[in-house]
Amino acid sequence: MNEANIKKLTDTLAKKLEAVHLGGGEKKAQEQRDKGKLTVWERVLGLIDKGSEYTEVGAFAGEGMYADYGGCPSAGVVVVLGYVSKRLCVIVANDATVKAGAWFPITAKKNLRAQEIAMENKIPIIYLVDSAGVFLPLQEEVFPDKEHFGRIFRNNAQMSAMGIVQISAIMGSCVAGGAYLPIMSDEAMIVDKTASIFLAGSYLVKAAIGEDVDNETLGGASTHTEISGVVDYKCTDDKDCLKRIRNIMSKVGASPTAGYDRVKPMPPIENPEDIYRLLPADRAKPYDMLEIVKRLVDNSEIEQYKELYGQTLICGLARIDGWAVGIVANQRKIVKTKKAEMQMGGVIYSDSADKAARFIMNCNQKKIPLLFLQDVSGFMVGSRSEHAGIIKDGAKMVMAMANSVVPKFTILIGNSYGAGNYAMCGKAYDPRLIYAWPTAQMAVMSGASAAKTLLQIKVSSLKAKGKEITKEAEEAMLKEITDQYAEQLSPYYAAARLWVDGIIDPLATRNTISMGIAAANHAPIEKRFNVGLMQV
């Protein structure tokens, strides 16, 4: 039953991915080809090394959003972490089949996330530009604020100062403020006849100053490579453009590394597909997280830290695809302690928080990246926990995690509730990558608890207004609240808003983490973890 449940979820995931990868649909894709242009995925796959691994970021961004405007699949832009001429890069490619590549609010957020990944890991970023600019009906949500469209150009300038390679290819329309992105890159190239770049198109030029000029003369490839000198390379077609990018990347010099330890990768001894049957279909049921870990790590080996202490958190050293990692994972089985008390799985107790804080400190001392595996209901409550100092120990764990200088990675396996999400390195704590399995749920509390709480508030409010509530009406309200909250618990709801970088099949976890650490290894640690920050 467990296996059937997860396979159903992964089948749904595969179908949803297939749908978002179609972008604006096959008809729009054919229109691209009829213009002599490649589609966005043809461009991306033509750029990365043939047969090499890659990780997509933000595939479900915009999922279920902007229905009034026809939707915005994958935020109208593809972001991939992949190898170009054996150099690990971030690739950002506009999908012109989605509203002509126009920028929705979520498009800006996804582009900023791509730049953040490049900046944190100090790896090159390549822009494949084909966009009509800001989506005007939503311009107030895209244009003026700190984390809006303009931040992208600020990041262009910041990355230039940091020495991060930026290459842009103008492969279609590039209009208005969007024109600054490619030209603020280190190098820019443009495809002849199918691409153009200008601050204002021919219609706006006619309206503004009365000049009659066609777009090709105004800002085509010949204009900007032969007259203005704005663009560096003129390409005959999309394939020629991609080839030139690969040629440039093949000559980029090596960068310093952080020196994270890697040996020859070993597959897990335990079958990773066992994960499908080990994760309960009923998320309230306990299970042994250690068995999940053994199916993710090399040789199924983990050196547990304080194995018999604070047992609702597993802490230990292991390897994933050869990379050394420090794992912090919520233990979901019920544990009986020497104190003759039972500890609920998925809950962080004082001793577990104290153990995790010390383990995180040790990983920082040893320069070992951290991997957080979340299935957490929160911190333990009640008089016993309060008297034991749960707030103090929880704060120590959060402080150690938040101030960690080694790269952090997070996988949401099951529950991700409340302060547990924070302590286990949720999005607010800068994981280099954060992904969810299809089994994940994220919210301030569980669906059942939240629905009952919200129902009590609603019923009390109605009664205060003198309204009588029948049992049938109360049940109807509970169903409505439960359904709405269940939608918000979904990993797709989180992925649509980029609270996570994506949703992956459990079997893709090793590759995702490996590529993340490979990227992080390009960014040497510039400061030491300050033990003085910890009140231990």
Side-chain angles (χ1 to χ4, degrees):
M1 187 170 66
N2 294 342
E3 186 172 6
N5 176 65
I6 295 187
K7 286 195 172 180
K8 180 180 178 182
L9 294 174
T10 54
D11 285 346
T12 299
L13 171 63
K15 289 174 183 175
K16 282 180 171 286
L17 271 175
E18 186 178 352
V20 298
H21 285 168
L22 289 175
E26 184 54 39
K27 182 179 177 182
K28 292 285 186 182
Q30 189 56 49
E31 288 175 6
Q32 285 274 101
R33 298 187 186 102
D34 292 343
K35 294 175 184 176
K37 299 162 71 173
L38 299 175
T39 64
V40 66
W41 274 103
E42 288 169 345
R43 288 169 177 172
V44 169
L45 295 177
L47 181 61
I48 62 176
D49 295 347
K50 190 174 181 179
S52 66
E53 299 283 356
Y54 65 88
T55 295
E56 187 177 0
V57 177
F60 293 109
E63 176 85 356
M65 300 167 67
Y66 312 114
D68 291 345
Y69 301 100
C72 185
S74 210
V77 61
V78 172
V79 175
V80 162
L81 188 63
Y83 288 92
V84 178
S85 296
K86 300 182 180 179
R87 272 74 171 176
L88 189 55
C89 304
V90 176
I91 301 165
V92 182
N94 297 114
D95 186 351
T97 70
V98 179
K99 296 292 188 296
W103 289 61
F104 283 66
I106 196 66
T107 314
K109 187 173 183 179
K110 186 170 175 179
N111 274 264
L112 289 171
R113 176 58 178 146
Q115 290 184 320
E116 181 182 42
I117 292 171
M119 293 169 79
E120 283 183 333
N121 297 297
K122 294 184 171 58
I123 58 175
I125 184 166
I126 300 168
Y127 307 97
L128 307 181
V129 184
D130 193 346
S131 171
V134 169
F135 187 64
L136 290 178
L138 295 173
Q139 66 86 25
E140 79 280 5
E141 298 179 47
V142 183
F143 172 68
D145 208 351
K146 180 179 179 180
E147 298 295 329
H148 283 179
F149 193 54
R151 187 78 172 182
I152 291 163
F153 314 133
R154 174 264 189 192
N155 287 348
N156 285 142
Q158 292 273 307
M159 281 190 278
S160 181
M162 293 166 67
I164 295 172
V165 173
Q166 299 178 83
I167 298 174
S168 285
I170 304 156
M171 307 181 81
S173 180
C174 188
V175 184
Y180 285 101
L181 184 146
I183 307 311
M184 290 186 74
S185 300
D186 302 313
E187 292 179 285
M189 53 195 69
I190 186 168
V191 179
D192 194 21
K193 300 295 187 289
T194 58
S196 58
I197 177 170
F198 33 64
L199 294 183
S202 55
Y203 293 126
L204 185 54
V205 168
K206 174 67 174 176
I209 63 173
E211 181 184 0
D212 282 308
V213 61
D214 63 86
N215 284 339
E216 184 65 26
T217 303
L218 185 65
S222 296
T223 295
H224 285 309
T225 56
E226 300 172 28
I227 301 172
S228 73
V230 166
V231 181
D232 306 308
Y233 305 94
K234 182 179 179 181
C235 308
T236 56
D237 55 24
D238 282 8
K239 290 183 179 179
D240 179 44
C241 188
L242 299 176
K243 180 181 177 182
R244 285 169 180 257
I245 296 172
R246 290 180 54 79
N247 285 342
I248 292 170
M249 287 305 305
S250 71
K251 297 170 180 66
V252 174
S255 300
T257 64
Y260 303 125
D261 188 66
R262 192 182 196 189
V263 299
K264 182 180 177 181
M266 298 283 288
I269 292 176
E270 305 290 348
N271 186 359
E273 292 191 7
D274 290 345
I275 291 172
Y276 293 151
R277 63 176 179 79
L278 289 170
L279 272 179
D282 181 354
R283 66 180 53 250
K285 287 187 176 180
Y287 64 92
D288 191 351
M289 178 65 84
L290 188 60
E291 293 302 316
I292 302 293
V293 172
K294 286 179 179 179
R295 284 152 179 84
L296 295 176
V297 300
D298 289 16
N299 221 31
S300 298
E301 293 178 347
I302 177 170
E303 186 70 33
Q304 287 199 64
Y305 174 76
K306 292 184 183 285
E307 181 178 354
L308 303 177
Y309 177 74
Q311 293 183 61
T312 62
L313 276 178
I314 297 169
C315 298
L317 301 178
R319 291 187 183 275
I320 288 184
D321 199 34
W323 292 104
V325 292
I327 294 175
V328 181
N330 300 111
Q331 177 56 283
R332 283 304 308 266
K333 72 177 183 180
I334 297 172
V335 178
K336 187 171 183 179
T337 72
K338 284 287 187 180
K339 297 177 183 177
E341 66 180 68
M342 301 295 287
Q343 292 190 345
M344 294 186 294
V347 179
I348 302 174
Y349 289 75
S350 286
D351 53 359
S352 303
D354 175 70
K355 175 173 86 169
R358 293 175 183 274
F359 178 71
I360 290 167
M361 291 168 60
N362 288 345
C363 287
N364 275 269
Q365 287 289 94
K366 297 181 177 75
K367 206 160 70 171
I368 300 173
L370 287 160
L371 171 61
F372 293 84
L373 301 176
Q374 287 196 16
D375 193 345
V376 57
S377 302
F379 285 90
M380 190 60 191
V381 297
S383 60
R384 183 191 292 267
S385 291
E386 298 294 355
H387 295 170
I390 185 66
I391 297 174
K392 172 175 62 69
D393 290 322
K396 284 195 298 186
M397 179 179 174
V398 171
M399 188 171 285
M401 181 273 301
N403 284 291
S404 178
V405 297
V406 295
K408 298 169 292 194
F409 303 88
T410 303
I411 301 292
L412 276 60
I413 290 177
N415 301 333
S416 180
Y417 296 153
N421 168 279
Y422 295 166
M424 293 292 292
C425 196
K427 185 66 181 290
Y429 293 86
D430 299 320
R432 297 292 176 94
L433 293 175
I434 176 170
Y435 281 85
W437 288 1
T439 49
Q441 288 189 348
M442 185 192 301
V444 73
M445 64 178 72
S446 71
S449 299
K452 288 174 184 176
T453 303
L454 291 168
L455 177 65
Q456 288 172 6
I457 294 169
K458 191 169 184 178
V459 168
S460 297
S461 175
L462 290 171
K463 286 182 177 178
K465 294 175 182 177
K467 296 182 180 179
E468 286 195 24
I469 309 299
T470 65
K471 184 179 178 182
E472 291 76 14
E474 192 170 315
E475 288 175 353
M477 282 190 287
L478 178 60
K479 184 181 185 307
E480 181 184 353
I481 292 169
T482 301
D483 290 346
Q484 181 182 1
Y485 201 82
E487 180 188 354
Q488 295 175 2
L489 282 170
S490 165
Y492 294 98
Y493 192 90
R497 290 151 182 81
L498 288 174
W499 300 343
V500 295
D501 290 319
I503 304 169
I504 56 173
D505 187 312
L507 301 185
T509 304
R510 279 172 54 85
N511 177 64
T512 301
I513 298 303
S514 177
M515 290 203 72
I517 299 176
N521 199 40
H522 289 77
I525 296 173
E526 296 174 354
K527 61 180 180 178
R528 289 186 64 82
F529 181 81
N530 187 354
V531 180
L533 292 167
M534 298 294 299
Q535 299 176 10
V536 293

